[in-house]
Amino acid sequence: MPMIPVLPPTEENLLKASRDLAAGRLVSFPTETVYGLGANALDPLALARIFEAKRRPFFDPLIVHIADRKSLDTLCTGRDDRAERLMDRFWPGPLTLVLPRTDAVPDLATSGLPTVAVRMPAHPVALALIRMAGFPLAAPSANPFGRLSPTSAAHVRDHFSEGIAMILDGGPCRVGVESTILSLETKTPCLLRAGGVPREELEALIGPINLAETNPEKPSAPGQLPGHYAPRTRLRLLAGPPGPMAGPLKLGWLGFRSVPEGTFAATEVLSSAGDLREAAANLFACLHRLDSQGLDLILAEPIAERGLGAAIMDRLRKAAAGSAEGL
Ligand code: TXA
Ligand code: MG
């Protein structure tokens, strides 16, 4: 089977990509968070191809990516003062806002919900592609449903063998975890997914935010379910320092700052300097590498859930739950 072409984001390739998108085909493109699998957000047939390629259930809504705030007029209503302030501060960037939708948005993009998730990515290639296409791009992370998110073009290529016209290579993703998702449907905003913008920074700007788990009005959003972001190898998130490690198991270690004494077949450290930004940027690449080593078990070290630590721990918990499901 021919491999999906991985191309540098030259003018010519961006033009070809925008034509592919206009024809209803899928293009994988870099964002600052993870690589997306993009389709014309206003074309239901193109959207259906995303679900088919990812084997994603239709009840899991998509994020719509835009390059300028004017595009919001066709997609959503109810932009209030909170929304404007959040956009002023965090766009372009890793924050997705859930707002009441217009009729222009196909049901497939929102799974029939009365809201739409929108974000303006902070990656020059993503912005150039959206501008050149002339329509918003719906884009989930470019991985089969439930698997590890891609933070490089090679990760995308390794995940798929068909169904994508091309992969635009914009190098490794700077942020490395998906966008924070904030619903503005309710009076008190609700955090639906921890991500690239820490909750503390949102609260400093707009005041208290509810967590989805504690909000009775939360929409059913499968991205919140355990079992996402899973490696094929079983992963266990340690509760504390690891005990003595020996025995027949081929163990892998995913540490925050260091590697403990013990016998590991493979080890990865997220940030030896203890920098959360660096740790988030390295997270999925470390997991992809450990997952390719034929290990029996990956032990992951917990980190404090402050700032980006909350998004990292969310991904590790879901990786642990998802990898256990496969047993
Ligand atoms: O960083 C990101 O956000 C990446 C890049 C490619 O932009 N995209 C991404 O998309 O993570 P995806 O498909 O993996 O996550 C979409 C999630 C859904 O699973 C759901 O939790 C939430 O966004 N979502 C989308 N529309 C929603 C809506 N109307 N109401 C509530 N949640 C929604
Ligand atoms: Mg995803």
Side-chain angles (χ1 to χ4, degrees):
M1 196 176 300
M3 290 233 292
I4 298 166
V6 177
L7 303 173
T10 58
E11 266 311 280
E12 194 191 343
N13 289 334
L14 281 165
L15 188 63
K16 182 172 179 323
S18 63
R19 290 198 182 122
D20 279 323
L21 290 164
R25 288 188 279 271
L26 306 182
V27 168
S28 177
F29 63 94
T31 82
E32 79 281 26
T33 59
V34 300
Y35 274 69
L37 185 58
N40 179 353
L42 304 177
D43 175 354
L45 275 176
L47 295 177
R49 291 209 170 104
I50 290 183
F51 289 90
E52 189 184 5
K54 281 189 60 116
R55 284 185 224 96
R56 178 179 176 116
F58 284 111
F59 56 77
D60 193 1
L62 302 171
I63 294 172
V64 178
H65 297 65
I66 56 171
D68 58 74
R69 273 153 77 165
K70 266 199 319 299
S71 318
L72 286 177
D73 299 340
T74 50
L75 300 172
C76 57
T77 61
R79 271 156 69 189
D80 54 16
D81 179 54
R82 299 172 304 179
E84 298 295 339
R85 277 161 60 209
L86 288 162
M87 290 186 275
D88 286 344
R89 174 73 172 275
F90 296 108
W91 280 10
L95 175 67
T96 295
L97 297 177
V98 173
L99 291 161
R101 61 179 276 200
T102 65
D103 291 340
V105 186
D107 277 336
L108 260 186
T110 67
S111 304
L113 292 170
T115 51
V116 61
V118 283
R119 97 172 182 99
M120 190 189 294
H123 195 293
V125 175
L127 293 170
L129 182 63
I130 299 165
R131 289 202 186 101
M132 219 180 253
F135 43 76
L137 296 182
S141 49
N143 51 277
F145 184 69
R147 309 308 310 182
L148 287 177
S149 298
T151 51
S152 71
H155 291 158
V156 182
R157 187 201 53 209
D158 293 347
H159 269 317
F160 295 95
S161 54
E162 58 183 349
I164 305 178
M166 70 163 82
I167 301 165
L168 287 169
D169 187 349
C173 300
R174 176 171 56 80
V175 175
V177 289
E178 291 83 348
S179 60
T180 300
I181 305 180
L182 187 72
S183 173
L184 296 176
E185 233 190 323
T186 44
K187 199 156 155 264
T188 304
C190 182
L191 189 78
L192 300 181
R193 177 174 75 188
V197 177
R199 175 187 180 188
E200 294 90 330
E201 288 187 27
L202 299 175
E203 292 194 317
L205 186 71
I206 57 163
I209 289 170
N210 285 335
L211 289 182
E213 288 77 17
T214 59
N215 187 337
E217 289 171 79
K218 74 167 183 184
S220 103
Q224 295 168 215
L225 293 179
H228 252 64
Y229 317 110
R232 284 172 218 286
T233 316
R234 218 175 112 207
L235 182 142
R236 185 186 301 154
L237 185 56
L238 294 171
M245 270 167 289
L249 286 185
K250 218 177 146 191
L251 287 179
W253 172 257
L254 179 65
F256 178 35
R257 301 186 66 154
S258 58
V259 180
E261 295 290 313
T263 316
F264 295 104
T267 62
E268 294 283 347
V269 169
L270 293 175
S271 169
S272 51
D275 179 316
L276 287 170
R277 276 176 203 266
E278 185 184 23
N282 285 332
L283 176 67
F284 282 115
C286 290
L287 283 168
H288 277 280
R289 279 198 295 272
L290 287 171
D291 203 20
S292 66
Q293 305 286 317
L295 302 167
D296 296 311
L297 178 66
I298 299 166
L299 297 176
E301 181 181 28
I303 66 178
E305 298 195 50
R306 280 190 300 276
L308 284 174
I312 297 172
M313 282 296 278
D314 168 74
R315 305 307 184 271
L316 288 176
R317 274 199 199 95
K318 286 173 178 163
S323 68
E325 270 167 24
L327 287 182

